[in-house]
Amino acid sequence: MSASLALTHLVPLAKEVDENKVTPGVLGFIVFAVMAVAVWGLMKSMNKHMQKVDFKEAPDTKAEAGAAPADDKPRQG
């Protein structure tokens, strides 16, 4: 008896929804949630790979040799 009573209260609420309005619904939420989990997994993987990188910059041999930088060339004019 209570199930039919609940159904009679929910039917008028369903009629208040605009039938021309498009909403994402459950499928839209599921797609969004899957994309969020995928981005989280990619960022976690990227962080793990970036921690493995050991980058050491090679010394600049031109600066040590005393060579003039390219910007200090005399201008012709």
Side-chain angles (χ1 to χ4, degrees), residues 18-59:
D18 185 11
E19 294 178 1
N20 296 325
K21 185 178 179 183
V22 178
T23 60
V26 176
L27 180 62
F29 174 75
I30 291 171
V31 170
F32 183 78
V34 167
M35 288 174 56
V37 169
V39 168
W40 176 78
L42 286 172
M43 290 182 68
K44 191 170 174 98
S45 174
M46 181 186 70
N47 191 23
K48 186 171 68 171
H49 281 80
M50 292 298 285
Q51 299 234 346
K52 291 180 181 179
V53 173
D54 186 25
F55 177 74
K56 292 184 180 175
E57 190 171 347

Side-chain angles (χ1 to χ4, degrees), residues 3-28:
S4 63
L5 183 62
L7 188 59
T8 57
H9 287 296
L10 289 177
V11 170
L13 292 175
K15 289 294 181 184
E16 292 177 10
V17 176
D18 185 11
E19 294 178 1
N20 296 325
K21 185 178 179 183
V22 178
T23 60
V26 176
L27 180 62

